[in-house]
Coordinates of all heavy atoms in Angstrom, one line a residue:
M16 N 123.3 89.9 84.2 CA 121.9 90.3 84.2 C 121.8 91.8 84.4 O 122.3 92.4 85.3 CB 121.1 89.6 85.4 CG 119.7 89.7 85.4 SD 119.0 88.3 86.2 CE 117.8 88.9 87.1
S17 N 121.1 92.5 83.4 CA 121.0 93.9 83.4 C 120.0 94.4 84.3 O 119.1 93.7 84.8 CB 120.7 94.4 82.0 OG 119.4 94.0 81.7
K18 N 120.1 95.7 84.7 CA 119.1 96.3 85.5 C 117.8 96.4 85.0 O 116.7 96.2 85.7 CB 119.6 97.8 85.9 CG 120.8 97.8 86.8 CD 121.1 99.2 87.2 CE 122.4 99.3 88.1 NZ 122.8 100.7 88.4
G19 N 117.7 96.6 83.7 CA 116.4 96.7 83.0 C 115.6 95.4 83.1 O 114.4 95.3 83.4
A20 N 116.4 94.2 82.9 CA 115.7 92.9 83.0 C 115.2 92.7 84.4 O 114.1 92.2 84.6 CB 116.6 91.9 82.5
T21 N 116.0 93.1 85.4 CA 115.7 92.8 86.8 C 114.4 93.7 87.1 O 113.5 93.2 87.7 CB 116.8 93.2 87.7 OG1 118.0 92.5 87.3 CG2 116.4 93.0 89.1
L22 N 114.4 94.9 86.7 CA 113.2 95.8 86.9 C 111.9 95.3 86.3 O 110.9 95.3 86.9 CB 113.5 97.2 86.5 CG 114.5 98.0 87.3 CD1 114.8 99.3 86.7 CD2 114.0 98.1 88.7
F23 N 112.1 94.8 85.0 CA 110.8 94.2 84.4 C 110.4 93.0 85.1 O 109.2 92.8 85.3 CB 111.1 93.9 82.9 CG 110.9 95.0 81.9 CD1 112.0 95.4 81.1 CD2 109.8 95.8 81.9 CE1 111.8 96.5 80.3 CE2 109.6 96.8 81.0 CZ 110.7 97.2 80.3
I24 N 111.3 92.2 85.5 CA 110.8 90.9 86.2 C 110.2 91.3 87.5 O 109.2 90.7 87.9 CB 112.1 90.0 86.4 CG1 112.5 89.4 85.0 CG2 111.7 88.8 87.3 CD1 113.8 88.6 85.0
L25 N 110.8 92.2 88.3 CA 110.2 92.6 89.6 C 108.8 93.3 89.3 O 107.9 93.0 90.2 CB 111.2 93.5 90.3 CG 112.4 92.9 90.9 CD1 113.3 93.9 91.5 CD2 112.1 91.8 91.9
L26 N 108.7 94.1 88.3 CA 107.4 94.7 88.0 C 106.4 93.6 87.7 O 105.3 93.7 88.2 CB 107.5 95.7 86.9 CG 106.3 96.3 86.4 CD1 105.7 97.2 87.5 CD2 106.5 97.1 85.1
G27 N 106.8 92.7 86.9 CA 105.8 91.6 86.6 C 105.4 90.8 87.8 O 104.2 90.4 87.9
L28 N 106.3 90.5 88.7 CA 106.0 89.8 89.9 C 105.1 90.6 90.8 O 104.2 90.1 91.5 CB 107.2 89.3 90.6 CG 108.1 88.3 90.0 CD1 109.4 88.0 90.7 CD2 107.3 87.0 89.8
F29 N 105.4 91.9 90.9 CA 104.5 92.8 91.6 C 103.1 92.9 91.1 O 102.1 92.8 91.9 CB 105.1 94.3 91.6 CG 104.3 95.3 92.3 CD1 104.3 95.3 93.7 CD2 103.5 96.2 91.6 CE1 103.5 96.3 94.4 CE2 102.8 97.1 92.2 CZ 102.8 97.2 93.6
L30 N 103.0 92.9 89.8 CA 101.6 92.9 89.2 C 100.9 91.6 89.4 O 99.7 91.5 89.5 CB 101.7 93.3 87.7 CG 102.1 94.8 87.4 CD1 102.3 95.0 85.9 CD2 101.1 95.7 87.9
A31 N 101.7 90.5 89.4 CA 101.1 89.2 89.6 C 100.6 89.2 91.0 O 99.5 88.5 91.3 CB 102.2 88.1 89.4
G32 N 101.2 89.7 92.0 CA 100.7 89.8 93.3 C 99.4 90.6 93.3 O 98.5 90.3 94.1
G33 N 99.3 91.7 92.5 CA 98.1 92.5 92.4 C 97.0 91.7 91.8 O 95.8 91.8 92.3
V34 N 97.3 90.8 90.9 CA 96.3 90.0 90.3 C 95.7 89.0 91.4 O 94.4 88.9 91.6 CB 96.8 89.1 89.1 CG1 95.8 88.1 88.7 CG2 97.1 90.0 88.0
Y35 N 96.6 88.5 92.2 CA 96.1 87.6 93.3 C 95.3 88.3 94.3 O 94.3 87.9 94.8 CB 97.3 86.9 94.0 CG 97.0 86.1 95.1 CD1 96.4 84.8 94.9 CD2 97.3 86.4 96.4 CE1 96.1 84.0 95.9 CE2 96.9 85.6 97.5 CZ 96.4 84.4 97.2 OH 96.0 83.6 98.3
S36 N 95.7 89.5 94.6 CA 95.0 90.3 95.6 C 93.6 90.7 95.1 O 92.6 90.7 95.8 CB 95.8 91.6 95.9 OG 95.1 92.5 96.8
F37 N 93.6 91.2 93.8 CA 92.3 91.5 93.2 C 91.3 90.4 93.1 O 90.2 90.4 93.4 CB 92.5 92.1 91.9 CG 93.0 93.6 91.9 CD1 93.4 94.1 90.7 CD2 93.2 94.3 93.0 CE1 93.9 95.5 90.7 CE2 93.7 95.5 93.0 CZ 94.0 96.1 91.8
W38 N 91.9 89.2 92.8 CA 91.1 87.9 92.8 C 90.5 87.6 94.2 O 89.4 87.3 94.3 CB 92.0 86.8 92.3 CG 91.2 85.5 92.1 CD1 91.0 84.6 93.0 CD2 90.5 85.1 91.0 NE1 90.2 83.5 92.5 CE2 89.9 83.8 91.2 CE3 90.4 85.7 89.7 CZ2 89.2 83.2 90.3 CZ3 89.6 85.0 88.8 CH2 89.1 83.8 89.0
K39 N 91.3 87.8 95.2 CA 90.7 87.5 96.6 C 89.7 88.5 97.0 O 88.8 88.1 97.8 CB 92.0 87.5 97.6 CG 93.0 86.4 97.4 CD 92.5 85.1 97.7 CE 92.6 84.9 99.2 NZ 92.2 83.5 99.7
Q40 N 89.9 89.7 96.5 CA 88.9 90.8 96.8 C 87.6 90.7 96.0 O 86.7 91.5 96.1 CB 89.5 92.1 96.7 CG 90.6 92.4 97.7 CD 91.2 93.8 97.5 OE1 90.6 94.7 96.9 NE2 92.5 93.9 97.9
K41 N 87.6 89.8 95.0 CA 86.5 89.6 94.1 C 86.2 90.9 93.3 O 85.0 91.3 93.2 CB 85.2 89.2 94.9 CG 85.4 88.0 95.8 CD 84.7 86.8 95.2 CE 84.6 85.7 96.2 NZ 85.6 84.7 96.0
M42 N 87.3 91.5 92.8 CA 87.1 92.7 92.0 C 86.6 92.3 90.6 O 86.6 91.1 90.2 CB 88.4 93.5 91.9 CG 88.8 94.0 93.3 SD 89.9 95.4 93.4 CE 89.2 96.6 92.5
S43 N 86.4 93.3 89.7 CA 85.8 93.0 88.4 C 86.8 92.2 87.6 O 88.0 92.3 87.6 CB 85.4 94.3 87.7 OG 86.6 95.0 87.3
K44 N 86.3 91.3 86.7 CA 87.2 90.4 85.9 C 87.9 91.2 84.9 O 89.1 90.8 84.5 CB 86.3 89.4 85.2 CG 85.5 88.5 86.1 CD 86.3 87.5 86.8 CE 85.5 86.6 87.6 NZ 86.2 85.8 88.6
S45 N 87.4 92.3 84.4 CA 88.1 93.1 83.4 C 89.4 93.7 84.0 O 90.4 93.8 83.4 CB 87.2 94.1 82.8 OG 86.7 95.0 83.8
M46 N 89.3 94.2 85.3 CA 90.4 94.8 85.9 C 91.5 93.7 86.2 O 92.7 94.0 86.0 CB 90.0 95.4 87.3 CG 91.1 96.0 88.1 SD 91.8 97.4 87.1 CE 91.4 98.7 88.1
I47 N 91.1 92.5 86.7 CA 92.0 91.4 86.9 C 92.7 91.0 85.6 O 93.9 90.8 85.5 CB 91.3 90.2 87.5 CG1 90.8 90.6 88.9 CG2 92.2 89.0 87.5 CD1 89.9 89.6 89.5
T48 N 91.9 91.0 84.4 CA 92.5 90.6 83.1 C 93.5 91.6 82.7 O 94.6 91.3 82.2 CB 91.4 90.5 82.1 OG1 90.5 89.5 82.6 CG2 91.9 90.1 80.8
L49 N 93.2 92.9 82.9 CA 94.1 94.0 82.5 C 95.4 93.9 83.2 O 96.5 94.1 82.7 CB 93.4 95.3 82.7 CG 94.2 96.6 82.3 CD1 94.3 96.5 80.7 CD2 93.4 97.8 82.6
V50 N 95.4 93.7 84.6 CA 96.6 93.7 85.4 C 97.3 92.4 85.1 O 98.6 92.4 85.0 CB 96.2 93.8 86.8 CG1 97.5 93.6 87.7 CG2 95.6 95.1 87.2
A51 N 96.6 91.3 84.8 CA 97.3 90.0 84.4 C 98.1 90.2 83.1 O 99.2 89.7 82.9 CB 96.3 88.9 84.3
I52 N 97.5 90.9 82.1 CA 98.2 91.1 80.8 C 99.4 91.9 81.0 O 100.5 91.6 80.5 CB 97.2 91.7 79.8 CG1 96.1 90.7 79.4 CG2 97.9 92.3 78.6 CD1 95.0 91.3 78.6
G53 N 99.3 92.9 81.9 CA 100.5 93.8 82.2 C 101.6 93.0 82.9 O 102.8 93.2 82.6
S54 N 101.2 92.1 83.7 CA 102.2 91.2 84.4 C 102.9 90.3 83.5 O 104.1 90.2 83.5 CB 101.4 90.4 85.5 OG 102.3 89.5 86.1
V55 N 102.1 89.7 82.6 CA 102.7 88.7 81.6 C 103.6 89.5 80.6 O 104.7 89.0 80.4 CB 101.6 88.0 80.9 CG1 102.2 87.2 79.7 CG2 100.9 87.0 81.8
M56 N 103.2 90.7 80.2 CA 104.1 91.4 79.3 C 105.4 91.9 79.9 O 106.4 91.8 79.4 CB 103.3 92.6 78.7 CG 102.2 92.3 77.8 SD 101.2 93.6 77.2 CE 102.3 94.8 76.6
S57 N 105.3 92.3 81.2 CA 106.5 92.7 82.0 C 107.4 91.6 82.2 O 108.7 91.7 82.0 CB 106.1 93.3 83.3 OG 105.4 94.5 83.1
L58 N 106.9 90.4 82.6 CA 107.7 89.2 82.8 C 108.4 88.8 81.4 O 109.6 88.5 81.4 CB 106.9 88.1 83.3 CG 106.6 88.2 84.8 CD1 105.6 87.1 85.2 CD2 107.8 88.1 85.6
A59 N 107.6 88.8 80.4 CA 108.2 88.4 79.1 C 109.3 89.4 78.6 O 110.3 89.0 78.2 CB 107.1 88.4 78.0
A60 N 109.1 90.7 78.9 CA 110.1 91.7 78.5 C 111.4 91.4 79.3 O 112.5 91.6 78.8 CB 109.6 93.1 78.7
G61 N 111.2 91.2 80.6 CA 112.3 90.9 81.4 C 113.1 89.7 81.0 O 114.4 89.7 80.9
L62 N 112.4 88.6 80.7 CA 113.0 87.4 80.3 C 113.7 87.5 78.9 O 114.8 86.9 78.7 CB 112.0 86.3 80.3 CG 111.5 85.8 81.6 CD1 110.4 84.8 81.5 CD2 112.7 85.3 82.4
M63 N 113.1 88.3 78.0 CA 113.8 88.5 76.7 C 115.0 89.4 76.8 O 115.9 89.3 75.9 CB 112.7 89.1 75.8 CG 111.6 88.2 75.4 SD 110.5 88.9 74.3 CE 111.1 88.2 72.8
R64 N 115.1 90.2 77.8 CA 116.3 91.1 77.9 C 117.4 90.4 78.7 O 118.5 90.9 78.7 CB 115.9 92.4 78.8 CG 115.0 93.3 78.0 CD 114.7 94.6 78.8 NE 115.9 95.4 79.1 CZ 116.1 96.5 78.5 NH1 115.2 97.0 77.6 NH2 117.2 97.2 78.7
L65 N 117.2 89.2 79.1 CA 118.2 88.5 79.8 C 119.4 88.0 78.9 O 119.5 87.7 77.8 CB 117.7 87.2 80.5 CG 117.0 87.5 81.8 CD1 116.5 86.2 82.4 CD2 117.9 88.1 82.8

């Protein structure tokens, strides 16, 4: 497992935690959507690099 894949997966999980936090704080839906897209893209990039 390369360092790049690990970093992308950790970034995706970090952003997923941000999505959960923003959801609990009732922040704007557009901000939640933007962070969620970033999280999914980071996780996908990490999984593809495996």
Side-chain angles (χ1 to χ4, degrees):
M16 192 150 139
S17 69
K18 288 182 183 179
T21 304
L22 289 175
F23 274 125
I24 291 171
L25 289 176
L26 177 64
L28 292 175
F29 177 76
L30 290 174
V34 169
Y35 178 72
S36 175
F37 286 173
W38 184 269
K39 295 290 276 186
Q40 294 178 24
K41 307 252 191 261
M42 298 202 51
S43 69
K44 300 288 185 196
S45 60
M46 180 62 111
I47 294 171
T48 304
L49 185 64
V50 176
I52 290 170
S54 174
V55 169
M56 288 174 56
S57 294
L58 285 171
L62 291 175
M63 292 182 96
R64 290 182 67 108
L65 284 179

